[in-house]
Amino acid sequence: MAREVPIFIFNGLLESGKTTMIARFLQNPQITDDKRVLLVLCEEGMEEIDDALLVSKHVSTVILEDESDFGPALFADLEKKYTPDLVVIEFNGMWRGTLPVETMYPAGWQLVEIMTTVDSTTFEAYSKNLRAIMIEHYKIADVVVFNRFTDDMDKFGFRSLVKAANMNIQVVYEYADGHIDAAFDASPFDLTQDEIDIPDGDYGAFYFDVMDHAGKYDGKIVNIRALVVKLQGTKMPGFLVGRFAMTCCENDIQFLSVYCQNNMKFKNKAWYHIRAKVVCVDASIYGEPSGELLPALEVLELTPADKPEQEVVTF
């Protein structure tokens, strides 16, 4: 029977805080004590992990300089040479983003978690200039950590952009003083109101918030302008309302939709003003595993509307 060797990958652009995260990870006795740890470094930043820590944790370090070397042959050789109990990879954020999940690892090696680190102070600039690269990071990650975060930054905007790339990603905010917010559940809307107007420009923020926290919206009435679309390939009653959103570029557009339980007459793929009550339903309605609660709409009014000025939601 093959050994079980967990793989943890830390991804992100240069100077995004990967090395600091790895050092903390190695210091966790529950994870690394009594383990033969293999650390694969795919880039060398300004920060280095303390040699004393590497020695105390029995860490063997391998430096990988060429993207073409990241593959099955390399890891097969490392398995023979080091027989690790735990593998940690500091991935080069400028290499092909899907490489860590496409690579065949030795028998027993299991990819457990991919964490992407982001420097909050450069997030907006990089989102404009290196968006395609950063989106690839979010798509494969289990967790994104926004470090160097400050109170004047836009948590909702940061969360919406990464959620647009990967709905299941966990978002963590880390402040300069070390304080971590891993359970941010505030809403971009005033949920003390029974009826909430969703502006056209805020549809993306609403979609990701209601999908993440359906229970907070349960029973609330929302007013939205959106496309109304017939369900295809199913005998379920109801229809979809939503907006197209561009995550990265024109080739990366998706339909962000919420299921409506009603049977109503409407023109397919036309714009409507929708007044509806949010209700919690089992996730199986969306084709997800049963047990989790996701939002659905009970439509109260459906009124034809003009197209919004900007039809496609951007982040």
Side-chain angles (χ1 to χ4, degrees):
M1 183 176 177
R3 294 165 22 259
E4 292 187 0
V5 181
I7 308 170
F8 292 85
I9 294 179
F10 293 79
N11 190 20
L13 296 176
L14 190 66
E15 308 306 321
S16 65
K18 296 191 298 291
T19 304
T20 300
M21 285 292 176
I22 290 172
R24 292 181 193 166
F25 181 86
L26 294 175
Q27 290 168 350
N28 188 330
Q30 295 181 329
I31 297 175
T32 56
D33 275 10
D34 302 318
K35 299 284 197 311
R36 292 188 299 273
V37 181
L38 173 63
L39 174 61
V40 181
L41 301 175
C42 300
E43 67 181 4
E44 293 185 81
M46 298 200 46
E47 296 290 331
E48 293 185 359
I49 299 175
D50 184 65
D51 287 338
L53 173 62
L54 298 177
V55 171
S56 67
K57 292 293 184 176
H58 309 290
V59 177
S60 300
T61 303
V62 173
I63 297 175
L64 192 60
E65 297 181 349
D66 196 324
E67 179 179 356
S68 62
D69 292 333
F70 192 103
L74 168 77
F75 292 111
D77 288 344
L78 296 179
E79 162 69 10
K80 291 177 183 178
K81 183 174 181 179
Y82 296 103
T83 320
D85 300 311
L86 171 68
V87 176
V88 179
I89 300 174
E90 182 175 2
F91 192 70
N92 188 318
M94 297 302 292
W95 290 0
R96 183 162 55 86
T98 55
L99 194 55
V101 295
E102 294 174 351
T103 297
M104 294 291 293
Y105 298 100
W109 287 32
Q110 298 178 350
L111 187 51
V112 173
E113 185 175 85
I114 299 177
M115 176 183 290
T116 291
T117 54
V118 177
D119 181 349
S120 300
T121 64
T122 58
F123 172 71
E124 292 179 327
Y126 285 169
S127 291
K128 292 177 182 176
N129 301 316
L130 296 172
R131 177 171 290 235
I133 292 172
M134 295 185 73
I135 291 297
E136 287 301 310
H137 294 177
Y138 310 142
K139 283 182 176 179
I140 66 168
D142 300 292
V143 181
V144 60
V145 178
F146 288 106
N147 54 47
R148 302 157 193 161
F149 198 83
T150 58
D151 284 329
D152 60 343
M153 294 175 178
D154 182 7
K155 280 186 175 179
F156 300 112
F158 283 28
R159 182 177 69 181
S160 292
L161 194 149
V162 299
K163 287 282 186 178
N166 179 355
M167 188 66 198
N168 296 317
I169 200 169
Q170 180 186 1
V171 182
V172 176
Y173 306 89
E174 180 177 2
Y175 292 79
D177 63 2
H179 169 67
I180 291 176
D181 182 355
F184 177 63
D185 65 353
S187 172
F189 308 102
D190 182 2
L191 297 184
T192 63
Q193 303 177 75
D194 292 329
E195 189 155 345
I196 305 162
D197 293 327
I198 310 299
D200 289 332
D202 290 339
Y203 179 81
F206 164 72
Y207 175 80
F208 294 114
D209 198 49
V210 75
M211 283 293 177
D212 267 357
H213 308 292
K216 297 193 307 182
Y217 286 84
D218 192 32
K220 301 292 182 183
I221 293 174
V222 294
N223 294 287
I224 309 167
R225 175 162 52 172
L227 284 168
V228 176
V229 178
K230 290 180 180 179
L231 289 172
Q232 301 292 331
T234 178
K235 294 182 179 179
M236 286 173 52
F239 52 94
L240 300 175
V241 300
R243 297 278 302 271
F244 284 100
M246 184 169 64
T247 307
C248 172
C249 56
E250 290 184 1
N251 294 324
D252 193 13
I253 291 180
Q254 56 185 311
F255 189 53
L256 306 180
S257 61
V258 182
Y259 172 67
C260 298
Q261 298 178 319
N262 311 60
N263 276 324
M264 305 179 76
K265 291 184 178 181
F266 57 86
K267 184 178 179 181
N268 191 34
K269 299 181 182 177
W271 289 94
Y272 285 85
H273 289 296
I274 300 109
R275 181 171 180 266
K277 183 170 75 170
V278 180
V279 294
C280 290
V281 296
D282 190 85
S284 57
I285 284 182
Y286 287 87
E288 300 291 332
S290 182
E292 183 184 357
L293 292 178
L294 289 177
L297 299 179
E298 290 182 357
V299 177
L300 306 174
E301 298 175 23
L302 198 61
T303 309
D306 295 330
K307 294 178 182 179
E309 249 182 64
Q310 186 171 335
E311 294 185 52
V312 177
V313 176
T314 56
F315 300 96

